[in-house]
Amino acid sequence: MGNNLKEIKTKIDSVKNTQKTTRAMKLVSTSKLKKAEEMAKRSRVYANKLNEIFEDIVSKIQVRGLENINSSFFVDAKHREIKKVDIVFVTADKGLCGGFNVTTIKEVLRLIADLKSRGIKVRLRGIGKKGIAYFTFNEIEILDKIIGLSSSPDYEKSSDFIRKVAQDYLDGLTDEVILVHNGFRNKISQELKIKSILPLGFDLNESSSAAQQHATYNSVNIEPDEEEDVVLDQLAQRYIEYNMYYALIDSLAAEHSARMQAMDAATKNAGELVRDLTISYNKARQESITTELVEINAGVEAMK
């Protein structure tokens, strides 16, 4: 009985130590989340402005006609054949964040299966140790991979990474680029985001109020302008680079949110386990005391 009491006491001490660790990790994640959330908010403002600019550009191109645009970044979405697709995924470099990484990995696997079922070749490019480790372990080839960037987003490094992807698209090595990451919705939930970042496609036959408005002021044919096309390419490149960088910031905020929740749940579970073990310890201790009293009484009776 004494050994049983000692074993339970050891378990209680062990769980309490674990609880201290998970509580500390929750506090760290909460602090990091505040910084990442603020960064994500500031970046979202820039991203929204960039999207507005591109919406305006697209509406003008709809009027001008794609045949007058000498840019490989823009295509008619309804008249292109897709044979090869690059999937760029973002996962965390660390674990202990619940199903955060699993959600992204499952979506990438689903996309791969769906694309391959349609006869489309798929290539993977990964950011984040956890996702890379999973696909490497399962012998799924990853064309490009980088570790350390998802835990510490850097614009230059992320731009270098996505430029290689964009160059493969411009060289005709791939027909589409899809970006997959688990993004930040709020402090208690994340949102899986799948976005086709290349090509910058649209339906040329799609009517819009913006396009019609531009058409009113552009009744004459517009001749191709080489300088204009260069500016358009530069804007497209910046748009793609910032989408990649924003995905990293968004993913980092979501990661801290998921880890904060996971550590909070672990801390509560540890507390419940300590309570259960304490009850078991008290019961075992009472049984031990009762047994000792019975043995003492039995000894006294035997001596009479």
Side-chain angles (χ1 to χ4, degrees), residues 35-200:
K35 296 177 183 177
E37 187 181 3
E38 185 60 34
M39 189 185 298
K41 285 179 180 177
R42 291 198 303 267
S43 301
R44 194 178 297 122
V45 172
Y46 183 88
N48 289 339
K49 191 63 181 176
L50 201 57
N51 287 337
E52 286 178 15
I53 293 171
F54 258 84
E55 285 175 8
D56 185 57
I57 290 171
V58 167
S59 66
K60 289 178 180 178
I61 292 176
Q62 285 176 318
V63 174
R64 180 171 172 175
L66 190 63
E67 65 277 2
N68 292 318
I69 302 297
N70 185 26
S71 173
S72 299
F73 286 104
F74 293 86
V75 301
D76 184 350
K78 281 193 173 181
H79 299 88
R80 63 189 176 100
E81 185 180 6
I82 300 175
K83 294 182 178 179
K84 292 167 286 184
V85 171
D86 279 6
I87 297 177
V88 179
F89 66 83
V90 180
T91 60
D93 286 320
K94 300 177 182 178
L96 298 176
C97 46
F100 175 79
N101 293 310
V102 175
T103 301
T104 304
I105 291 169
K106 282 184 176 179
E107 180 59 25
V108 172
L109 291 172
R110 187 196 67 78
L111 281 172
I112 292 173
D114 178 57
L115 291 168
K116 286 187 175 180
S117 70
R118 291 187 276 147
I120 299 173
K121 183 179 178 182
V122 180
R123 303 192 306 179
L124 279 187
R125 300 176 187 258
I127 298 175
K129 184 177 180 179
K130 290 300 176 179
I132 291 170
Y134 174 87
F135 290 110
T136 301
F137 178 79
N138 287 278
E139 298 181 346
I140 299 174
E141 183 181 359
I142 302 178
L143 185 62
D144 287 331
K145 47 192 171 183
I146 183 167
I147 294 173
L149 188 57
S150 60
S151 58
S152 182
D154 180 87
Y155 187 83
E156 289 302 321
K157 290 180 180 178
S158 67
S159 295
D160 288 343
F161 180 86
I162 203 65
R163 279 190 205 113
K164 295 176 184 176
V165 181
Q167 193 58 52
D168 273 6
Y169 166 77
L170 295 173
D171 291 341
L173 298 178
T174 187
D175 302 310
E176 185 177 8
V177 178
I178 299 174
L179 179 59
V180 183
H181 76 282
N182 207 350
F184 179 79
R185 178 182 289 172
N186 52 52
K187 291 182 179 180
I188 60 172
S189 64
Q190 298 79 46
E191 180 182 10
L192 186 65
K193 297 181 180 179
I194 306 101
K195 183 174 185 178
S196 178
I197 59 172
L198 276 173
L200 301 172

Side-chain angles (χ1 to χ4, degrees), residues 200-236:
L200 301 172
F202 52 89
D203 180 7
L204 287 175
N205 298 317
E206 183 182 273
S207 61
S208 66
S209 58
Q212 290 171 359
Q213 183 180 358
H214 285 299
T216 305
Y217 299 101
N218 292 277
S219 56
V220 296
N221 292 329
I222 303 173
E223 295 299 325
D225 188 320
E226 186 176 341
E227 185 177 344
E228 208 171 86
D229 290 333
V230 170
V231 173
L232 193 60
D233 278 351
Q234 290 174 345
L235 280 172

Side-chain angles (χ1 to χ4, degrees), residues 283-299:
K283 284 182 178 179
R285 187 165 174 270
Q286 288 171 357
E287 288 175 5
S288 176
I289 293 171
T290 301
T291 301
E292 288 178 7
L293 287 173
V294 170
E295 289 175 353
I296 291 170
N297 287 334

